[in-house]
Amino acid sequence: MTAQLHYTPEIARQTRPIYESLRHVIPEVEWGVHAPYIAAINKLKREMNAVLLVHNYQTPEIFHGVADYTGDSLGLARQAAETDADIIVQCGVHFMAETSKILCPDKTVLIPDLEAGCSLAASITGADVRLLKERFPGVPVVTYVNTSADVKAESDICCTSGNAVRIVESLGVDRVIFLPDNYLGRYVAAQTGVELILWHGTCEVHERFTGAELRDYRKRWEGIQVIAHPECPPDVLEEADFVGSTKGMIDWVGDHRPNRVVMITECSMSDNVAVEFPEVEFIRPCNLCPHMKRITLPNILRALETRTHEVHVAPETGARARRAVEAMLAVA
Ligand code: 13P
Ligand code: SF4
C-alpha cells in the first residue's frame, strides 16, 4: 500500500534538525532510508489524530524521529490514560498495547507487529493465577504489567519496575503473591522485607547478564558507573551502583552525568540516552530484545495506513484488568 518513498531534497530539509541530534548514533548514509518514513509517519499521524507511544527500548530513529511520548511502562500507561487522541499506536510490545486498550477501551489501539511479545508475559496464564489464589487464599496478588490482560484481570493490583517496591509496601501486609518476574520479585522482597510468593518467569534479555561480566567492566573501564534494570539476576543487581526502571536509569544519568557508564539493559536504550547526553561515554553491551525490534518505521507507517493491527481485549476481562491497573496508577 505504501507508495514508493523517496529521499527528496524537501524531506532532507524537513528532517535535518532530527538528524543533527542523531548524528553520532546513526550514520549519515542510513538517513536517506529513515527520513522518508519519518516524514510520512509524522504527516499521517497528525491527519489521523493518532499518538505514538514509544518505549525506551525502541531504536533511535523511532524514539527521536516519530514519538509523541517516550517512557517506561509506567509512563506510557499514564500517557495512554490521559491522551485525547482517537488512535494510539503502541511502539513497544503487545502487553503495553493491551495496557493502553485496557485503560482506553473506546480508542483504537494499534500495534505495528502482533508478534511483538515478551518472555515474561508468555510465562503465565490467567488459569495459573487462579490456581495460585486457590492455594494461597486471601493473599493479595501483585502483577507486573509485563503480563496479558487475562492475568491482570485475576490480580488485585499491577506494578511496573518503576513502582514495584512502593506498590508492595502500599498494601501493608506481610505476604504477597508477586507475578511473574522471579528476579524483580527477589529484588522487591529484599527492599521491602515482605514475604513474596514468586513465579518462575524471567526476561530473556536481562537474564543473560552476569555479575562476573559487571566485574569485568569495572576492571576494563576505569571509573565506570554500572546501572541495572531490576529484571536482572540477583548477582548482577548486587554489583550495580544503581537499580531502576528504564526511566529511572535515564534520570540517574541525567542527575549524575557520569564520565562513563554502562546500562545493564536492552541496548537500544544507550543510543537513545547518548543522544541527550553526548558528553557521557556509554559502554554498550548489546543484548537486544527481539520482540521490541519487531517494531520498525515501515511497519509503523503501515499500521497507520491500514489501521492494523488493532488490539482487542474482551470487555469483561478489560474491566477487571482495568481495576488492577487503575489501582496501581492511584498509588504511584
Ligand atoms: P520498564 O517499565 O522499566 O520500561 O521495563 C519494561 C521492560 O520490558 C523491561 O524489559
Ligand atoms: Fe519482555 Fe524482556 Fe523484552 Fe522487556 S526486554 S519486553 S521484559 S522480553
Side-chain angles (χ1 to χ4, degrees):
M1 170 148 186
T2 309
Q4 180 91 43
L5 296 178
H6 296 291
Y7 186 43
T8 61
E10 173 53 19
I11 287 177
R13 191 195 58 74
Q14 261 179 37
T15 59
R16 199 76 219 160
I18 304 173
Y19 183 66
E20 285 309 325
S21 66
L22 295 176
R23 182 174 279 287
H24 70 288
V25 291
I26 298 184
E28 184 137 23
V29 66
E30 271 183 32
W31 194 243
V33 177
H34 299 312
Y37 284 100
I38 290 173
I41 290 167
N42 286 336
K43 181 168 178 284
L44 197 51
K45 75 179 184 188
R46 280 193 297 274
E47 290 166 6
M48 294 172 70
N49 192 25
V51 283
L52 271 63
L53 304 187
V54 174
H55 187 260
N56 292 325
Y57 292 162
Q58 293 294 301
T59 47
E61 69 279 7
I62 296 175
F63 188 90
H64 292 282
V66 296
D68 293 290
Y69 300 102
T70 56
D72 62 3
S73 310
L74 179 61
L76 297 183
R78 285 194 191 290
Q79 291 298 340
E82 284 167 18
T83 185
D84 53 16
D86 298 316
I87 299 173
I88 295 172
V89 183
Q90 199 84 33
C91 301
V93 292
H94 193 265
F95 76 79
M96 296 176 177
E98 266 194 345
T99 304
S100 292
K101 185 67 184 177
I102 288 164
L103 287 167
C104 312
D106 300 330
K107 293 192 190 297
T108 301
V109 177
L110 305 175
I111 185 159
D113 187 328
L114 271 176
E115 300 294 311
C118 169
S119 63
L120 282 166
S123 74
I124 190 162
T125 64
D128 293 326
V129 187
R130 285 193 290 280
L131 284 175
L132 281 164
K133 290 199 290 190
E134 272 171 33
R135 177 141 177 237
F136 301 102
V139 180
V141 179
V142 177
T143 292
Y144 196 29
V145 288
N146 297 41
T147 46
S148 66
D150 285 346
V151 168
K152 290 183 176 77
E154 296 296 336
S155 309
D156 294 294
I157 188 164
C158 287
C159 71
T160 70
S161 59
N163 62 17
V165 168
R166 289 198 299 282
I167 295 288
V168 167
E169 282 173 343
S170 77
L171 298 175
V173 294
D174 41 19
R175 204 171 185 220
V176 160
I177 300 173
F178 186 93
L179 307 170
D181 188 341
N182 190 280
Y183 294 148
L184 176 65
R186 288 203 229 171
Y187 174 73
V188 171
Q191 298 293 307
T192 59
V194 174
E195 183 196 342
L196 299 193
I197 296 157
L198 297 176
W199 191 246
H200 52 258
T202 52
C203 162
E204 68 189 81
V205 178
H206 291 90
E207 71 178 353
R208 296 207 294 262
F209 292 105
T210 64
E213 186 183 340
L214 269 57
R215 286 189 290 280
D216 193 45
Y217 287 129
R218 289 200 198 279
K219 273 196 219 129
R220 284 170 53 201
W221 304 97
E222 203 191 327
I224 196 166
Q225 296 292 299
V226 178
I227 64 177
H229 195 278
E231 289 173 7
C232 294
D235 65 324
V236 170
L237 301 184
E238 268 162 34
E239 284 293 330
D241 297 306
F242 171 76
V243 175
S245 75
T246 55
K247 176 179 187 302
M249 294 166 88
I250 296 169
D251 290 348
W252 190 94
V253 172
D255 293 344
H256 292 77
R257 305 291 169 114
N259 291 331
R260 185 177 268 170
V261 69
V262 57
M263 293 180 139
I264 304 298
T265 192
E266 211 272 353
C267 64
S268 288
M269 199 165 96
S270 296
D271 286 341
N272 291 332
V273 188
V275 170
E276 281 168 55
F277 305 109
E279 74 284 10
V280 176
E281 183 189 0
F282 289 83
I283 305 304
R284 298 175 164 106
C286 204
N287 277 354
L288 283 169
C289 172
H291 311 290
M292 289 279 179
K293 298 295 95 103
R294 283 183 171 272
I295 310 301
T296 62
L297 289 173
N299 66 21
I300 295 170
L301 181 58
R302 200 164 55 241
L304 284 165
E305 286 175 338
T306 60
R307 292 180 178 242
T308 53
H309 303 276
E310 193 169 348
V311 174
H312 297 283
V313 176
E316 206 245 330
T317 307
R320 293 172 62 215
R322 186 157 60 252
R323 280 202 294 274
V325 177
E326 285 181 345
M328 167 185 84
L329 293 176
V331 173

